[in-house]
Amino acid sequence: MVDVIVLIKQMPDLEQVKIDSNTREPIVKNVPKTVEILSEHAVEEAVRLKEKYKGKVTAILLGNEQSSAIMKKAFAIGADEGIIIDGYEEHNPANTARVLASKIKEIKHDLVILGNQSADSITGLIPGMLSALLNEPLLGNAGKIEVTGTNVKVTRILEEDNIEIEVPMPSIVSISQEINEPRLPPVMQIMAAGRKPIKTEKIAPVISKGVTLVSNSAPRSERKKLVFEDMDKGIPEVVKVLKEGMK
Amino acid sequence: MNLVSVLVLAGIIIAVFAFFYKLYEILWDAVKIPLKKPRMKLDLGRRIYILIRNVFLQGKLFKDPFAGIMHALMFWGFIVFGAYSIDFFYVTIFAHQLFSPGILSDIIFFTVNIFAGIVIADVIYAAVRRWGLKIKRYQGFNGFEAAFILVLIGLLMFTYLVMSVLDMQGLLGGYTFVVRSGAPHYLEPISYALTYVIPKAPSSYVYYIFWSAFWIHALDFMVFLIYIPRSKHLHLFAAPFNVLFSTGTQATPLPIDFEKETRFGATDIRDFTWKDYFDFYSCTECGRCTDNCPANMTGKTLSPRDIIWDIRETVMAQGKEYRKNRENPDEVFKTVIGDPILEKDLWSCTTCMACVEQCPVMIDHVPKIIDMRRSLVLNQGKAPKESLDLFRNIESYASPYAIDPSTRGDWAENLDVVDLSKNPDANYDVLYWVGCVASYDRRNQDIAKSVTKILKKAGVNFAILGSMEKCTGDPARRTGNEYLADMMIRQNVETFKEKKIHKVITACPHCFNSLKNEYKEYGVELEVYHHSEYINRLISDKKISVKALTSDSSEKYTYHDSCYLGRYNKIYDAPREIIGSFTENFQEMEKNKSKALCCGAGGGRLWMQETEGTMVSHKRIEMADKINASTVVTACPYCMTMLDDARKTTNREDKMNIQDLSEVIAKRLE
């Protein structure tokens, strides 16, 4: 038996984010929210562990009412319970970790699984902060998770070699994308997921301390947008342009 | 009644009983096992037409003329011998003829006599084809059954001739057992000719010769009746019905009601329709399907024949078991996917319909393959990795590409095209449905631009849906993800209804087929034209004029048929007429029109890797190269993508161009 909490992050669909040409700020208004890709792998891994060792998978998501579609995706993959924490809209990893940790403490668990970093903000801070707040060991960048009795054994994928570590549960495991290939849920599970209740818990906004978002803008790229259609003439032209650019 | 009559009567009763008992068993299976219902409309005119064309005239068999003539003669011989055989047994049992001498009887006996000679020659020809010429598609399949039936047929004809010749030589002294004993010579020309070749047997042998011939003849017929429904030759009886019952809508997969159904697609033999059972019963392993399968041709293990045959064998075995053990259907019926049908074979199919087109008995292979894909995707979430990306993209971006859908209409920037997503109240007569590939793929955007140029030149008042256009659902549907396809179709139908769109042009045959044939079931009637039809009409109506190719030009054009335009929608002439409007420098490739070779991209294969065997597209490019074509004209963005890629990867960039019909015309507008 292994009870898993899996943390899901939602983020704006990066393919659909446009950059304001004047301010260079990303326009995220009206951009549909999507599940952060590593979160999907995390849910998949949690469900695989459940299928292998039995137990329960609880998914937690910071979002709002519109996030239910993302939670249903987790249900379709096989999550048993889903909690949406509604009301937290900050860009402060420390507070994010606090909100998550306070929720996780309420739930009996053996493992907390989450992505090692998210594709939009790429801070990679949450796993470590959770580890500190919950006082549970962190196994980072996992490519494989096994449970042996009351211990969890993780293969960490590093640049040149893999390391196996074993720690007693409960513990926190952050995963890398290589860990699995998220499944395509069968239709019956998708339909059943649609009918499953989602717990939504409102929280009061947390006051941010210490971190201020100063600016969020895309670097200016000055593309010359030159198109060379004729292959033969084009190459010398490209060389010429490149030489000029180096000066 | 004498002893012979009694024995023959007893024999024929046993044979007829054995025959009908087996028919009863397989019909019971077809009625009791399948859970799904086929699309059936009365459609009497079409049914009579195909029955005459494809059964009595053996129409589809002549797609392979050498085999066609062999089979047609055998079939016609079978029909006339049917009438004769009834008379033979009637005479034997009741000692007088059923068809008393007269014009009907004259016709029957004349044709029987002629056909006896023809069929014997035909049996030899068939044997030579299979064991002498070793025609590839026959090899390795039930050789015994083929040989046995040829022996039965040959012996039946031979013994008939023996009796007939003996009679004509006046050696029988009026045995009643010979039908039309003492018939005029002109009614039995073959036998008459044989009397010149074959010397009269000594009278002491006549008794033995005659009775041997007689009993072999009678027993042969009985064995035939017992054996037929228990062998692949069941097709003799199943195929005419299969043709009669053909739905005519086989290219459109059956709809799924996700609210009600719980078993999706085809997993075991319960998940087919009774019409599918007729398909299985009708297969005689002729192999035309596999012979024409682009996947099989390029070294993949997919064989449409084996798929049909494997399910047939499963039906026969599990049907038998189910008749004994009706309490536990879940124990009896086991999945056919994995064993005997390989998953990878299901994914190799390009849904090109070459197998269906070729099948003389109108078996629908493709819908079954799609149904098995559905089983994998919808019940188990199993699909090739690339398809998972395809599904994800369609779901998130309404196209197979992970590209922001708000940029869908960007190709038309600065072209002064009415975009209904930006200008919802604009006036227009025709909607130009661009499709995902022409909207997003750099090479194929030229098709969209060319279509625009032509329509503008012709003064057609048209609009595009821009970011409101979504994938028609075709790639999802063909890869078995009906759930996703259903979602996309509903969204588009909503748009069509809301915008009151009626008339549509598209340059993509996949979109064309979906919109024209498949959206009906979702409650929207559209008048849809493929750009080949539309441009052809613009040319013939003189709305646009096309500059002719100069006579000294060394350009040579050929046309590559798109499956979804050709076999799916029978549009073969319009594209050729368009090319004919500016040049006569045109040559057909090997395999064209209804026999055309697929580009390899249909059925969602455009978004999958082709790792087994060689590339279908390379084979096609080689065919184009063989006739030294300088321009291969396509009419489909999928074909464009595949062939343009094949041209580059096989180092033919310098000598060959791939151009869409719209591009060759847009360039030549005057």
Side-chain angles (χ1 to χ4, degrees), chain B residues 19 22-23 26 145 227-240 277-278 280-284 309 312 316:
Chain B
F19 173 75
K22 185 69 196 175
L23 281 198
I26 62 169
E145 291 198 4
Y227 174 64
I228 288 288
R230 291 167 176 80
S231 69
K232 68 176 194 168
H233 307 293
L234 173 60
H235 89 285
L236 277 168
F237 299 97
Y277 276 54
F278 271 84
F280 304 138
Y281 298 154
S282 300
C283 179
T284 181
W309 195 260
R312 172 194 161 113
M316 294 288 182

PDB file of all heavy atoms in Angstrom, chain B residues 19 22-23 26 145 227-240 277-278 280-284 309 312 316:
ATOM      1  N   PHE B  19     -25.560 -29.764 -46.208  1.00  0.00           N
ATOM      2  CA  PHE B  19     -25.343 -28.427 -46.760  1.00  0.00           C
ATOM      3  C   PHE B  19     -26.117 -27.393 -45.950  1.00  0.00           C
ATOM      4  O   PHE B  19     -25.551 -26.419 -45.442  1.00  0.00           O
ATOM      5  CB  PHE B  19     -25.793 -28.415 -48.224  1.00  0.00           C
ATOM      6  CG  PHE B  19     -25.773 -27.059 -48.863  1.00  0.00           C
ATOM      7  CD1 PHE B  19     -24.575 -26.477 -49.241  1.00  0.00           C
ATOM      8  CD2 PHE B  19     -26.951 -26.365 -49.100  1.00  0.00           C
ATOM      9  CE1 PHE B  19     -24.549 -25.225 -49.825  1.00  0.00           C
ATOM     10  CE2 PHE B  19     -26.930 -25.114 -49.679  1.00  0.00           C
ATOM     11  CZ  PHE B  19     -25.734 -24.537 -50.047  1.00  0.00           C
ATOM     12  N   LYS B  22     -24.998 -26.784 -42.227  1.00  0.00           N
ATOM     13  CA  LYS B  22     -23.853 -25.887 -42.059  1.00  0.00           C
ATOM     14  C   LYS B  22     -24.287 -24.438 -42.301  1.00  0.00           C
ATOM     15  O   LYS B  22     -23.878 -23.532 -41.566  1.00  0.00           O
ATOM     16  CB  LYS B  22     -22.720 -26.286 -43.015  1.00  0.00           C
ATOM     17  CG  LYS B  22     -21.452 -25.484 -42.823  1.00  0.00           C
ATOM     18  CD  LYS B  22     -20.784 -25.806 -41.497  1.00  0.00           C
ATOM     19  CE  LYS B  22     -19.753 -24.757 -41.127  1.00  0.00           C
ATOM     20  NZ  LYS B  22     -19.182 -24.994 -39.798  1.00  0.00           N
ATOM     21  N   LEU B  23     -25.116 -24.248 -43.321  1.00  0.00           N
ATOM     22  CA  LEU B  23     -25.606 -22.884 -43.570  1.00  0.00           C
ATOM     23  C   LEU B  23     -26.364 -22.376 -42.350  1.00  0.00           C
ATOM     24  O   LEU B  23     -26.216 -21.222 -41.944  1.00  0.00           O
ATOM     25  CB  LEU B  23     -26.535 -22.850 -44.790  1.00  0.00           C
ATOM     26  CG  LEU B  23     -25.908 -22.866 -46.173  1.00  0.00           C
ATOM     27  CD1 LEU B  23     -26.922 -22.389 -47.206  1.00  0.00           C
ATOM     28  CD2 LEU B  23     -24.660 -22.013 -46.259  1.00  0.00           C
ATOM     29  N   ILE B  26     -23.825 -21.294 -39.639  1.00  0.00           N
ATOM     30  CA  ILE B  26     -23.119 -20.022 -39.827  1.00  0.00           C
ATOM     31  C   ILE B  26     -24.095 -18.844 -39.805  1.00  0.00           C
ATOM     32  O   ILE B  26     -23.747 -17.762 -39.358  1.00  0.00           O
ATOM     33  CB  ILE B  26     -22.241 -20.011 -41.107  1.00  0.00           C
ATOM     34  CG1 ILE B  26     -23.089 -20.195 -42.344  1.00  0.00           C
ATOM     35  CG2 ILE B  26     -21.130 -21.045 -41.041  1.00  0.00           C
ATOM     36  CD1 ILE B  26     -22.296 -19.924 -43.608  1.00  0.00           C
ATOM     37  N   GLU B 145      -7.413 -26.931 -50.508  1.00  0.00           N
ATOM     38  CA  GLU B 145      -8.806 -26.613 -50.826  1.00  0.00           C
ATOM     39  C   GLU B 145      -8.968 -26.193 -52.278  1.00  0.00           C
ATOM     40  O   GLU B 145      -9.950 -26.539 -52.936  1.00  0.00           O
ATOM     41  CB  GLU B 145      -9.323 -25.505 -49.899  1.00  0.00           C
ATOM     42  CG  GLU B 145      -9.469 -25.985 -48.465  1.00  0.00           C
ATOM     43  CD  GLU B 145     -10.377 -25.091 -47.622  1.00  0.00           C
ATOM     44  OE1 GLU B 145     -10.952 -24.130 -48.168  1.00  0.00           O
ATOM     45  OE2 GLU B 145     -10.490 -25.362 -46.419  1.00  0.00           O
ATOM     46  N   TYR B 227     -19.176 -30.274 -48.973  1.00  0.00           N
ATOM     47  CA  TYR B 227     -17.865 -29.662 -48.773  1.00  0.00           C
ATOM     48  C   TYR B 227     -17.906 -28.126 -48.858  1.00  0.00           C
ATOM     49  O   TYR B 227     -17.240 -27.430 -48.077  1.00  0.00           O
ATOM     50  CB  TYR B 227     -16.901 -30.223 -49.822  1.00  0.00           C
ATOM     51  CG  TYR B 227     -15.537 -29.599 -49.849  1.00  0.00           C
ATOM     52  CD1 TYR B 227     -14.677 -29.726 -48.752  1.00  0.00           C
ATOM     53  CD2 TYR B 227     -15.104 -28.881 -50.952  1.00  0.00           C
ATOM     54  CE1 TYR B 227     -13.427 -29.158 -48.776  1.00  0.00           C
ATOM     55  CE2 TYR B 227     -13.850 -28.311 -50.979  1.00  0.00           C
ATOM     56  CZ  TYR B 227     -13.018 -28.442 -49.901  1.00  0.00           C
ATOM     57  OH  TYR B 227     -11.778 -27.880 -49.914  1.00  0.00           O
ATOM     58  N   ILE B 228     -18.680 -27.606 -49.788  1.00  0.00           N
ATOM     59  CA  ILE B 228     -18.698 -26.165 -50.061  1.00  0.00           C
ATOM     60  C   ILE B 228     -18.832 -25.298 -48.802  1.00  0.00           C
ATOM     61  O   ILE B 228     -17.961 -24.475 -48.531  1.00  0.00           O
ATOM     62  CB  ILE B 228     -19.837 -25.822 -51.058  1.00  0.00           C
ATOM     63  CG1 ILE B 228     -19.467 -26.327 -52.448  1.00  0.00           C
ATOM     64  CG2 ILE B 228     -20.154 -24.342 -51.099  1.00  0.00           C
ATOM     65  CD1 ILE B 228     -18.410 -25.554 -53.117  1.00  0.00           C
ATOM     66  N   PRO B 229     -19.881 -25.478 -48.008  1.00  0.00           N
ATOM     67  CA  PRO B 229     -20.028 -24.541 -46.869  1.00  0.00           C
ATOM     68  C   PRO B 229     -18.996 -24.752 -45.785  1.00  0.00           C
ATOM     69  O   PRO B 229     -18.878 -23.950 -44.875  1.00  0.00           O
ATOM     70  CB  PRO B 229     -21.434 -24.843 -46.348  1.00  0.00           C
ATOM     71  CG  PRO B 229     -21.752 -26.213 -46.811  1.00  0.00           C
ATOM     72  CD  PRO B 229     -20.993 -26.435 -48.085  1.00  0.00           C
ATOM     73  N   ARG B 230     -18.240 -25.839 -45.865  1.00  0.00           N
ATOM     74  CA  ARG B 230     -17.235 -26.118 -44.854  1.00  0.00           C
ATOM     75  C   ARG B 230     -15.827 -25.729 -45.302  1.00  0.00           C
ATOM     76  O   ARG B 230     -14.854 -26.071 -44.647  1.00  0.00           O
ATOM     77  CB  ARG B 230     -17.275 -27.623 -44.498  1.00  0.00           C
ATOM     78  CG  ARG B 230     -18.539 -27.995 -43.746  1.00  0.00           C
ATOM     79  CD  ARG B 230     -18.775 -29.478 -43.654  1.00  0.00           C
ATOM     80  NE  ARG B 230     -19.954 -29.756 -42.852  1.00  0.00           N
ATOM     81  CZ  ARG B 230     -21.212 -29.679 -43.307  1.00  0.00           C
ATOM     82  NH1 ARG B 230     -21.448 -29.341 -44.573  1.00  0.00           N
ATOM     83  NH2 ARG B 230     -22.234 -29.916 -42.505  1.00  0.00           N
ATOM     84  N   SER B 231     -15.747 -25.042 -46.419  1.00  0.00           N
ATOM     85  CA  SER B 231     -14.426 -24.672 -46.933  1.00  0.00           C
ATOM     86  C   SER B 231     -14.460 -23.210 -47.343  1.00  0.00           C
ATOM     87  O   SER B 231     -15.465 -22.539 -47.193  1.00  0.00           O
ATOM     88  CB  SER B 231     -14.097 -25.524 -48.156  1.00  0.00           C
ATOM     89  OG  SER B 231     -14.947 -25.148 -49.224  1.00  0.00           O
ATOM     90  N   LYS B 232     -13.334 -22.760 -47.891  1.00  0.00           N
ATOM     91  CA  LYS B 232     -13.301 -21.368 -48.339  1.00  0.00           C
ATOM     92  C   LYS B 232     -14.256 -21.143 -49.510  1.00  0.00           C
ATOM     93  O   LYS B 232     -14.580 -20.014 -49.853  1.00  0.00           O
ATOM     94  CB  LYS B 232     -11.874 -20.973 -48.711  1.00  0.00           C
ATOM     95  CG  LYS B 232     -11.320 -21.662 -49.941  1.00  0.00           C
ATOM     96  CD  LYS B 232      -9.940 -21.104 -50.255  1.00  0.00           C
ATOM     97  CE  LYS B 232      -9.487 -21.512 -51.644  1.00  0.00           C
ATOM     98  NZ  LYS B 232      -8.304 -20.761 -52.085  1.00  0.00           N
ATOM     99  N   HIS B 233     -14.726 -22.262 -50.101  1.00  0.00           N
ATOM    100  CA  HIS B 233     -15.629 -22.128 -51.238  1.00  0.00           C
ATOM    101  C   HIS B 233     -17.045 -21.771 -50.815  1.00  0.00           C
ATOM    102  O   HIS B 233     -17.930 -21.647 -51.647  1.00  0.00           O
ATOM    103  CB  HIS B 233     -15.603 -23.400 -52.077  1.00  0.00           C
ATOM    104  CG  HIS B 233     -14.207 -23.768 -52.461  1.00  0.00           C
ATOM    105  ND1 HIS B 233     -13.473 -22.989 -53.328  1.00  0.00           N
ATOM    106  CD2 HIS B 233     -13.385 -24.761 -52.056  1.00  0.00           C
ATOM    107  CE1 HIS B 233     -12.259 -23.511 -53.447  1.00  0.00           C
ATOM    108  NE2 HIS B 233     -12.176 -24.577 -52.685  1.00  0.00           N
ATOM    109  N   LEU B 234     -17.210 -21.547 -49.505  1.00  0.00           N
ATOM    110  CA  LEU B 234     -18.467 -21.018 -48.996  1.00  0.00           C
ATOM    111  C   LEU B 234     -18.843 -19.729 -49.747  1.00  0.00           C
ATOM    112  O   LEU B 234     -20.004 -19.344 -49.812  1.00  0.00           O
ATOM    113  CB  LEU B 234     -18.305 -20.743 -47.493  1.00  0.00           C
ATOM    114  CG  LEU B 234     -19.435 -20.045 -46.772  1.00  0.00           C
ATOM    115  CD1 LEU B 234     -20.721 -20.858 -46.859  1.00  0.00           C
ATOM    116  CD2 LEU B 234     -19.066 -19.822 -45.306  1.00  0.00           C
ATOM    117  N   HIS B 235     -17.834 -19.089 -50.289  1.00  0.00           N
ATOM    118  CA  HIS B 235     -18.082 -17.823 -50.985  1.00  0.00           C
ATOM    119  C   HIS B 235     -19.087 -17.992 -52.123  1.00  0.00           C
ATOM    120  O   HIS B 235     -19.770 -17.052 -52.487  1.00  0.00           O
ATOM    121  CB  HIS B 235     -16.773 -17.224 -51.502  1.00  0.00           C
ATOM    122  CG  HIS B 235     -16.377 -17.675 -52.875  1.00  0.00           C
ATOM    123  ND1 HIS B 235     -15.856 -18.913 -53.136  1.00  0.00           N
ATOM    124  CD2 HIS B 235     -16.449 -17.048 -54.068  1.00  0.00           C
ATOM    125  CE1 HIS B 235     -15.612 -19.029 -54.430  1.00  0.00           C
ATOM    126  NE2 HIS B 235     -15.963 -17.914 -55.028  1.00  0.00           N
ATOM    127  N   LEU B 236     -19.202 -19.237 -52.659  1.00  0.00           N
ATOM    128  CA  LEU B 236     -20.170 -19.489 -53.715  1.00  0.00           C
ATOM    129  C   LEU B 236     -21.573 -19.052 -53.299  1.00  0.00           C
ATOM    130  O   LEU B 236     -22.345 -18.538 -54.094  1.00  0.00           O
ATOM    131  CB  LEU B 236     -20.224 -20.993 -54.012  1.00  0.00           C
ATOM    132  CG  LEU B 236     -19.185 -21.551 -54.945  1.00  0.00           C
ATOM    133  CD1 LEU B 236     -19.206 -23.067 -54.899  1.00  0.00           C
ATOM    134  CD2 LEU B 236     -19.459 -21.070 -56.343  1.00  0.00           C
ATOM    135  N   PHE B 237     -21.871 -19.269 -52.031  1.00  0.00           N
ATOM    136  CA  PHE B 237     -23.209 -18.929 -51.550  1.00  0.00           C
ATOM    137  C   PHE B 237     -23.231 -17.613 -50.792  1.00  0.00           C
ATOM    138  O   PHE B 237     -24.206 -16.884 -50.841  1.00  0.00           O
ATOM    139  CB  PHE B 237     -23.753 -20.071 -50.668  1.00  0.00           C
ATOM    140  CG  PHE B 237     -23.861 -21.334 -51.455  1.00  0.00           C
ATOM    141  CD1 PHE B 237     -22.872 -22.288 -51.410  1.00  0.00           C
ATOM    142  CD2 PHE B 237     -24.934 -21.514 -52.323  1.00  0.00           C
ATOM    143  CE1 PHE B 237     -22.943 -23.430 -52.193  1.00  0.00           C
ATOM    144  CE2 PHE B 237     -25.008 -22.650 -53.105  1.00  0.00           C
ATOM    145  CZ  PHE B 237     -24.011 -23.617 -53.044  1.00  0.00           C
ATOM    146  N   ALA B 238     -22.147 -17.308 -50.075  1.00  0.00           N
ATOM    147  CA  ALA B 238     -22.134 -16.095 -49.252  1.00  0.00           C
ATOM    148  C   ALA B 238     -21.928 -14.838 -50.091  1.00  0.00           C
ATOM    149  O   ALA B 238     -22.543 -13.804 -49.829  1.00  0.00           O
ATOM    150  CB  ALA B 238     -21.055 -16.205 -48.187  1.00  0.00           C
ATOM    151  N   ALA B 239     -21.065 -14.939 -51.107  1.00  0.00           N
ATOM    152  CA  ALA B 239     -20.675 -13.725 -51.819  1.00  0.00           C
ATOM    153  C   ALA B 239     -21.838 -13.004 -52.523  1.00  0.00           C
ATOM    154  O   ALA B 239     -21.947 -11.788 -52.418  1.00  0.00           O
ATOM    155  CB  ALA B 239     -19.557 -14.040 -52.802  1.00  0.00           C
ATOM    156  N   PRO B 240     -22.724 -13.740 -53.225  1.00  0.00           N
ATOM    157  CA  PRO B 240     -23.827 -13.001 -53.864  1.00  0.00           C
ATOM    158  C   PRO B 240     -24.649 -12.216 -52.849  1.00  0.00           C
ATOM    159  O   PRO B 240     -25.041 -11.079 -53.115  1.00  0.00           O
ATOM    160  CB  PRO B 240     -24.665 -14.113 -54.504  1.00  0.00           C
ATOM    161  CG  PRO B 240     -23.723 -15.231 -54.714  1.00  0.00           C
ATOM    162  CD  PRO B 240     -22.751 -15.157 -53.580  1.00  0.00           C
ATOM    163  N   TYR B 277     -20.124 -10.407 -40.838  1.00  0.00           N
ATOM    164  CA  TYR B 277     -20.045 -11.871 -40.881  1.00  0.00           C
ATOM    165  C   TYR B 277     -20.156 -12.374 -42.321  1.00  0.00           C
ATOM    166  O   TYR B 277     -19.462 -13.298 -42.722  1.00  0.00           O
ATOM    167  CB  TYR B 277     -21.125 -12.497 -39.989  1.00  0.00           C
ATOM    168  CG  TYR B 277     -20.706 -12.587 -38.542  1.00  0.00           C
ATOM    169  CD1 TYR B 277     -20.275 -11.452 -37.872  1.00  0.00           C
ATOM    170  CD2 TYR B 277     -20.700 -13.794 -37.859  1.00  0.00           C
ATOM    171  CE1 TYR B 277     -19.869 -11.518 -36.554  1.00  0.00           C
ATOM    172  CE2 TYR B 277     -20.300 -13.872 -36.538  1.00  0.00           C
ATOM    173  CZ  TYR B 277     -19.873 -12.720 -35.889  1.00  0.00           C
ATOM    174  OH  TYR B 277     -19.454 -12.786 -34.593  1.00  0.00           O
ATOM    175  N   PHE B 278     -21.015 -11.737 -43.093  1.00  0.00           N
ATOM    176  CA  PHE B 278     -21.091 -12.104 -44.509  1.00  0.00           C
ATOM    177  C   PHE B 278     -19.778 -11.799 -45.216  1.00  0.00           C
ATOM    178  O   PHE B 278     -19.368 -12.529 -46.112  1.00  0.00           O
ATOM    179  CB  PHE B 278     -22.266 -11.396 -45.194  1.00  0.00           C
ATOM    180  CG  PHE B 278     -23.538 -12.181 -45.104  1.00  0.00           C
ATOM    181  CD1 PHE B 278     -24.349 -12.096 -43.988  1.00  0.00           C
ATOM    182  CD2 PHE B 278     -23.909 -13.052 -46.125  1.00  0.00           C
ATOM    183  CE1 PHE B 278     -25.501 -12.846 -43.878  1.00  0.00           C
ATOM    184  CE2 PHE B 278     -25.061 -13.812 -46.027  1.00  0.00           C
ATOM    185  CZ  PHE B 278     -25.862 -13.709 -44.894  1.00  0.00           C
ATOM    186  N   PHE B 280     -16.866 -12.020 -43.813  1.00  0.00           N
ATOM    187  CA  PHE B 280     -15.938 -13.099 -43.462  1.00  0.00           C
ATOM    188  C   PHE B 280     -16.263 -14.366 -44.263  1.00  0.00           C
ATOM    189  O   PHE B 280     -15.375 -15.028 -44.777  1.00  0.00           O
ATOM    190  CB  PHE B 280     -16.004 -13.405 -41.966  1.00  0.00           C
ATOM    191  CG  PHE B 280     -15.748 -12.207 -41.096  1.00  0.00           C
ATOM    192  CD1 PHE B 280     -16.505 -11.962 -39.959  1.00  0.00           C
ATOM    193  CD2 PHE B 280     -14.750 -11.298 -41.425  1.00  0.00           C
ATOM    194  CE1 PHE B 280     -16.273 -10.847 -39.166  1.00  0.00           C
ATOM    195  CE2 PHE B 280     -14.514 -10.180 -40.630  1.00  0.00           C
ATOM    196  CZ  PHE B 280     -15.287  -9.958 -39.501  1.00  0.00           C
ATOM    197  N   TYR B 281     -17.552 -14.682 -44.345  1.00  0.00           N
ATOM    198  CA  TYR B 281     -17.955 -15.903 -45.052  1.00  0.00           C
ATOM    199  C   TYR B 281     -17.657 -15.817 -46.548  1.00  0.00           C
ATOM    200  O   TYR B 281     -17.507 -16.835 -47.213  1.00  0.00           O
ATOM    201  CB  TYR B 281     -19.459 -16.158 -44.867  1.00  0.00           C
ATOM    202  CG  TYR B 281     -19.898 -16.386 -43.439  1.00  0.00           C
ATOM    203  CD1 TYR B 281     -21.201 -16.097 -43.037  1.00  0.00           C
ATOM    204  CD2 TYR B 281     -19.021 -16.901 -42.484  1.00  0.00           C
ATOM    205  CE1 TYR B 281     -21.622 -16.301 -41.728  1.00  0.00           C
ATOM    206  CE2 TYR B 281     -19.429 -17.098 -41.176  1.00  0.00           C
ATOM    207  CZ  TYR B 281     -20.724 -16.801 -40.798  1.00  0.00           C
ATOM    208  OH  TYR B 281     -21.135 -17.003 -39.509  1.00  0.00           O
ATOM    209  N   SER B 282     -17.616 -14.588 -47.072  1.00  0.00           N
ATOM    210  CA  SER B 282     -17.462 -14.426 -48.519  1.00  0.00           C
ATOM    211  C   SER B 282     -16.014 -14.513 -48.977  1.00  0.00           C
ATOM    212  O   SER B 282     -15.744 -14.639 -50.162  1.00  0.00           O
ATOM    213  CB  SER B 282     -18.008 -13.071 -48.959  1.00  0.00           C
ATOM    214  OG  SER B 282     -19.370 -12.983 -48.634  1.00  0.00           O
ATOM    215  N   CYS B 283     -15.087 -14.389 -48.036  1.00  0.00           N
ATOM    216  CA  CYS B 283     -13.680 -14.339 -48.435  1.00  0.00           C
ATOM    217  C   CYS B 283     -13.238 -15.713 -48.916  1.00  0.00           C
ATOM    218  O   CYS B 283     -13.492 -16.735 -48.289  1.00  0.00           O
ATOM    219  CB  CYS B 283     -12.808 -13.909 -47.266  1.00  0.00           C
ATOM    220  SG  CYS B 283     -11.060 -13.849 -47.711  1.00  0.00           S
ATOM    221  N   THR B 284     -12.568 -15.727 -50.047  1.00  0.00           N
ATOM    222  CA  THR B 284     -12.054 -16.992 -50.546  1.00  0.00           C
ATOM    223  C   THR B 284     -10.533 -16.935 -50.713  1.00  0.00           C
ATOM    224  O   THR B 284      -9.948 -17.689 -51.468  1.00  0.00           O
ATOM    225  CB  THR B 284     -12.807 -17.404 -51.822  1.00  0.00           C
ATOM    226  OG1 THR B 284     -12.323 -18.633 -52.276  1.00  0.00           O
ATOM    227  CG2 THR B 284     -12.657 -16.374 -52.903  1.00  0.00           C
ATOM    228  N   TRP B 309      -9.424 -13.144 -43.028  1.00  0.00           N
ATOM    229  CA  TRP B 309      -9.400 -14.599 -42.867  1.00  0.00           C
ATOM    230  C   TRP B 309      -9.215 -15.012 -41.408  1.00  0.00           C
ATOM    231  O   TRP B 309      -9.850 -15.938 -40.927  1.00  0.00           O
ATOM    232  CB  TRP B 309      -8.311 -15.227 -43.753  1.00  0.00           C
ATOM    233  CG  TRP B 309      -8.521 -16.699 -43.864  1.00  0.00           C
ATOM    234  CD1 TRP B 309      -7.868 -17.680 -43.169  1.00  0.00           C
ATOM    235  CD2 TRP B 309      -9.489 -17.369 -44.668  1.00  0.00           C
ATOM    236  NE1 TRP B 309      -8.365 -18.904 -43.513  1.00  0.00           N
ATOM    237  CE2 TRP B 309      -9.360 -18.751 -44.432  1.00  0.00           C
ATOM    238  CE3 TRP B 309     -10.457 -16.922 -45.588  1.00  0.00           C
ATOM    239  CZ2 TRP B 309     -10.154 -19.696 -45.062  1.00  0.00           C
ATOM    240  CZ3 TRP B 309     -11.251 -17.867 -46.213  1.00  0.00           C
ATOM    241  CH2 TRP B 309     -11.093 -19.229 -45.954  1.00  0.00           C
ATOM    242  N   ARG B 312     -12.388 -14.628 -39.675  1.00  0.00           N
ATOM    243  CA  ARG B 312     -13.291 -15.690 -40.110  1.00  0.00           C
ATOM    244  C   ARG B 312     -13.007 -16.993 -39.359  1.00  0.00           C
ATOM    245  O   ARG B 312     -13.923 -17.640 -38.853  1.00  0.00           O
ATOM    246  CB  ARG B 312     -13.123 -15.912 -41.618  1.00  0.00           C
ATOM    247  CG  ARG B 312     -13.878 -17.108 -42.144  1.00  0.00           C
ATOM    248  CD  ARG B 312     -13.373 -17.443 -43.542  1.00  0.00           C
ATOM    249  NE  ARG B 312     -13.694 -18.787 -43.942  1.00  0.00           N
ATOM    250  CZ  ARG B 312     -14.546 -19.090 -44.915  1.00  0.00           C
ATOM    251  NH1 ARG B 312     -15.170 -18.133 -45.556  1.00  0.00           N
ATOM    252  NH2 ARG B 312     -14.776 -20.341 -45.241  1.00  0.00           N
ATOM    253  N   MET B 316     -15.507 -18.976 -36.910  1.00  0.00           N
ATOM    254  CA  MET B 316     -15.845 -20.391 -37.076  1.00  0.00           C
ATOM    255  C   MET B 316     -15.565 -21.170 -35.786  1.00  0.00           C
ATOM    256  O   MET B 316     -16.385 -21.976 -35.354  1.00  0.00           O
ATOM    257  CB  MET B 316     -15.034 -21.008 -38.226  1.00  0.00           C
ATOM    258  CG  MET B 316     -15.380 -20.438 -39.592  1.00  0.00           C
ATOM    259  SD  MET B 316     -16.992 -20.993 -40.167  1.00  0.00           S
ATOM    260  CE  MET B 316     -17.094 -20.246 -41.783  1.00  0.00           C
TER     261      MET B 316
END
